[in-house]
Amino acid sequence: MSAPDPFRDLGVQADADGGRIRIWSENATSVDLVIFDPNDLEWATDRVALERDDHGVWHGPSEALVPGARYGLRVDGPAGPSHAFNPVHTLLDPYARGLSPADDGSWRGAVLGNHLDWGDSAKPHVPLDHTVVYETHVRGFSKLNPAIPEELRGTYAGLAHDSSLEYLTNLGVTTVELLPVHAFVPEARLIRQGKTNYWGYNTLSFFAPHAPYASAAAQAAGPEAVRREFAGMVKRLHEAGLEVMLDVVYNHTAEEGREGPVFSFRGIDNGSYYRHDAHGRYVDTTGCGNTLDFGRDAPVRLVLDSMRYFAEELHVDGFRLDLAATLARDDHGGFTPEHPLLRGMLEDPVISTTKLIAEPWDVGPGGWQTGNFPAGFTEWNDRYRDRMRDFWLGDLRRERETGTAGSGIGRFATRLAGSANTFSTERGPLASLNFITAHDGFTLADLTSYNVKHNLGNGEHNRDGTDSNNSYNHGVEGDTADRAIRAARRRSIRNLLGTLLLSAGVPMLTAGDEFGRSQRGNNNAYCHDSELTWLAWDAAGRPRSAPDLLATTRRLIRLRAENPALRPVRFGRFGEATPSASQMDWFNADGTTMTIDDWNSPEERTLQYLAASTPEFEAFNRILLVVHAHESDVEVVLAEHAGVSGYTLLWDSADEAPTDAAIDHAPGDRITMTGPSMRLFRAHASD
């Protein structure tokens, strides 16, 4: 018989007849449950002293713990450099499913019922190789959409509106990844500056949806209605065939550094929840002032319980784990891929069925861990991002300034084919989450319009945000009326979109990149809740190129879905047919097999990539991708290969708008590639 689980059922377990609460605090000397009047959150109606068990769990019953109740905690304990006990503070239960703010700046937990009506709704379970992630912001996505009733714009209900669903399904993405929707608050510094935390990476509660993203009517009705609107959003997205992923911030909390606010963990047991050195000082591996200590069992369990709650009870399909290297630091502070938290995610019967995407770094010692997470995780591939930006933008800039691009095409090809040099054969190309842009950094349009960041509006004297952007303004910083520069920028955007959506791996598209959204050169717009960060929906708010770029993005996503050779599940072995892998052959502009010199020469900027899928779940398919990264035109001899009888052009990045005109070629035909550009062909098999 297995030993009892000391951390089972933490938080409130309640029904109409009352309930129990269980709170972990290893160092506390007393913990009281305080019940508040729901109509006056300063008025305590009951106080119950909890009992401690042998594992540091404080527990007790209360007839007042019924759905609709509001409650808090008062905790006392020893003094010392790593402690912050104060029995006067009213603290938030880390497991609270709903929140209510008190007038004094503290928070009350809200007891919610257990019923949500899911009807016949089911999770889409999109296979990872078919997945196209769309990273967006709940508020920013629909805030300006005139087709949505004004009271629903910028809300969970707005994202679930017919207009939103129609846009997303027509675009062709499969998986909507939401910037943080766990309840959060702005940092004290931003409040003093009159700004806000728009992105939401400052978590207050790991179990409650962020109430300000609910409609005003739901907020007025209370935490139960907020959760119901969130669940309704998930249900509607599922009915449209779209998955819902959450960007989750488990590495630190809204309590900030040691002088930050006391909301929950700090007052419950600062010394146990947060990571400290031998002198009681915070060990900060996130750059946010505090770091949860995942060398301890209770914080590990907290994260697993939160993920299981959102996956099982709120039907979420997956999680993007912010600064995930922090989550895998052991009791000595070192990263380990065998960390109990990572193993727990992979072994949990609920969490393991979701998509798990790691941001594989933090700012602590040994914090860059791309490629080192265990099988079962997909990782943000920063090497892919940097190389693809450099290939299409940095190299173009160097070529214009010095006459040579400065690097060979081999590194580009490695990333295009799934980053086999980063991810093990066991994990395969789907371990790579490919992205060119994300919420953090330049938009795709700004990558092609600015050489440097323009972040003065953030109030930090342009010191914030990265200086390593691998961007290129094509000759003029910012907006310009020069038609040639504007055309060159649009072509670069199409090349970057094509690279992203035709590469092996899992692509992530940042909301707005599909129509050329700009943040006017701000590469760290975390504190702007305004039209700078919201998506424009009408012609007046979008660039003139928007319709063509949108059509291009739709076309590329459709081509990806239709051609399994672009979506290998496994790395193929040379000379062997590996199920669900692509058999890849590489040719130069002359149509001959690439040599070592071709791969490494900075002068070699043209290649042909012939990939054939090996059927396992889908029909046999073969594609030819021709890439040319010089500005000058080049004549390309289309590759001749056994079993290939001809090619049909599917897409050409040199074209402003995609067309359905089929253009056929034979192997050995000569075509002129105008540079820089890409062409995708479907290869036809010989009879």
Side-chain angles (χ1 to χ4, degrees), residues 219-483:
Q219 292 183 57
E224 189 80 67
V226 169
R227 184 179 67 165
R228 190 162 52 246
E229 185 173 312
F230 176 89
M233 173 197 69
V234 175
K235 181 179 179 182
R236 289 272 291 159
L237 286 163
H238 283 175
E239 289 170 349
L242 295 163
E243 293 183 312
V244 180
M245 289 189 63
L246 304 185
D247 191 338
V248 287
V249 189
Y250 292 121
N251 53 79
H252 75 284
T253 78
E255 292 184 310
E256 304 181 47
R258 190 58 185 265
E259 302 305 316
V262 179
F263 294 128
S264 180
F265 299 98
R266 178 170 290 137
I268 293 173
D269 196 341
N270 182 70
S272 296
Y273 275 108
Y274 295 118
R275 193 177 288 277
H276 295 79
D277 64 16
H279 304 287
R281 298 171 298 204
Y282 281 142
V283 175
D284 180 13
T285 65
T286 67
C288 300
N290 58 10
T291 300
L292 285 170
D293 186 354
F294 296 108
R296 293 175 176 268
D297 292 338
V300 167
R301 182 58 176 269
L302 174 81
V303 171
L304 294 174
D305 286 347
S306 169
M307 295 175 72
R308 191 180 307 110
Y309 171 70
F310 272 90
E312 187 169 36
E313 299 192 37
L314 296 180
H315 289 207
V316 163
D317 302 281
F319 304 90
R320 180 266 188 188
L321 301 158
D322 183 65
L323 298 182
T326 287
L327 309 188
R329 290 185 179 273
D330 59 21
D331 53 350
H332 299 294
F335 173 88
T336 171
E338 296 302 316
H339 193 282
L341 180 49
L342 302 186
R343 300 310 317 171
M345 294 178 196
L346 296 173
E347 295 168 4
D348 184 275
V350 175
I351 300 171
S352 63
T353 66
T354 69
K355 289 181 167 68
L356 298 172
I357 298 179
E359 183 184 36
W361 52 77
D362 63 17
V363 300
W368 189 81
Q369 294 293 335
T370 304
N372 294 331
F373 277 69
F377 285 88
T378 297
E379 300 176 38
W380 273 33
N381 189 346
D382 54 325
R383 286 179 168 177
Y384 177 95
R385 173 200 64 200
D386 295 346
R387 183 62 198 129
M388 297 320 194
R389 288 185 181 190
D390 205 39
F391 181 76
W392 289 114
L393 299 174
D395 284 355
L396 176 62
R397 181 181 182 180
R398 282 186 288 271
E399 186 177 25
R400 287 185 175 182
E401 293 174 351
T402 68
T404 180
S407 62
I409 205 166
R411 291 165 56 209
F412 168 85
T414 298
R415 299 300 163 198
L416 180 73
S419 297
N421 62 343
T422 300
F423 301 102
S424 66
T425 300
E426 175 192 9
R427 297 181 66 192
L430 298 182
S432 178
L433 189 287
N434 297 332
F435 67 110
I436 305 292
T437 69
H439 65 277
D440 184 2
F442 278 146
T443 67
L444 196 54
D446 287 354
L447 272 179
T448 68
S449 303
Y450 296 91
N451 283 349
V452 296
K453 66 188 181 185
H454 295 264
N455 295 356
L456 284 173
N458 298 352
E460 300 182 46
H461 306 287
N462 211 40
R463 291 192 297 262
D464 63 303
T466 183
D467 293 312
S468 301
N469 296 291
N470 285 20
S471 59
Y472 180 41
N473 65 18
H474 292 75
V476 174
E477 188 75 354
D479 199 13
T480 179
D482 188 305
R483 291 186 177 183

Side-chain angles (χ1 to χ4, degrees), residues 17-90:
D17 297 322
R20 298 184 61 86
I21 188 169
R22 290 168 55 82
I23 301 294
W24 180 74
S25 177
E26 184 177 51
N27 292 302
T29 56
S30 68
V31 178
D32 288 357
L33 167 69
V34 184
I35 305 296
F36 291 90
D37 184 336
N39 299 311
D40 183 356
L41 295 179
E42 302 298 323
W43 183 257
T45 61
D46 194 16
R47 185 165 178 161
V48 179
L50 304 183
E51 297 182 1
R52 187 189 192 279
D53 67 15
D54 294 338
H55 304 284
V57 175
W58 298 78
H59 59 94
S62 171
E63 294 181 355
L65 284 176
V66 297
R70 304 294 192 270
Y71 69 102
L73 304 167
R74 301 231 173 112
V75 182
D76 201 2
S82 63
H83 298 308
F85 293 108
N86 187 335
V88 175
H89 286 155
T90 300

Side-chain angles (χ1 to χ4, degrees), residues 86-209:
N86 187 335
V88 175
H89 286 155
T90 300
L91 305 171
L92 181 65
D93 170 13
Y95 279 75
R97 267 53 168 176
L99 309 183
S100 292
D103 291 339
D104 64 358
S106 61
W107 294 80
R108 310 291 182 254
V111 180
L112 305 186
N114 296 318
H115 177 69
L116 289 168
D117 182 12
W118 292 101
D120 296 328
S121 172
K123 294 185 177 183
H125 291 297
V126 177
L128 196 56
D129 63 309
H130 286 72
T131 298
V132 178
V133 178
Y134 185 77
E135 185 199 49
T136 193
H137 188 284
V138 168
R139 179 169 166 82
F141 179 79
S142 68
K143 180 64 178 173
L144 296 177
N145 188 347
I148 296 176
E150 186 173 359
E151 65 273 14
L152 300 183
R153 296 175 196 167
T155 69
Y156 299 125
L159 184 57
H161 189 269
D162 285 347
S163 174
S164 301
L165 300 180
E166 181 181 9
Y167 179 83
L168 291 166
T169 53
N170 286 343
L171 182 60
V173 296
T174 68
T175 305
V176 179
E177 180 186 309
L178 302 178
L179 266 66
V181 296
H182 286 164
F184 65 87
V185 293
E187 292 88 340
R189 171 184 58 83
L190 291 176
I191 294 173
R192 289 192 299 269
Q193 293 176 344
K195 298 183 182 298
T196 190
N197 186 323
Y198 174 68
W199 288 348
Y201 292 87
N202 202 47
T203 309
L204 176 66
S205 169
F206 296 131
F207 289 84

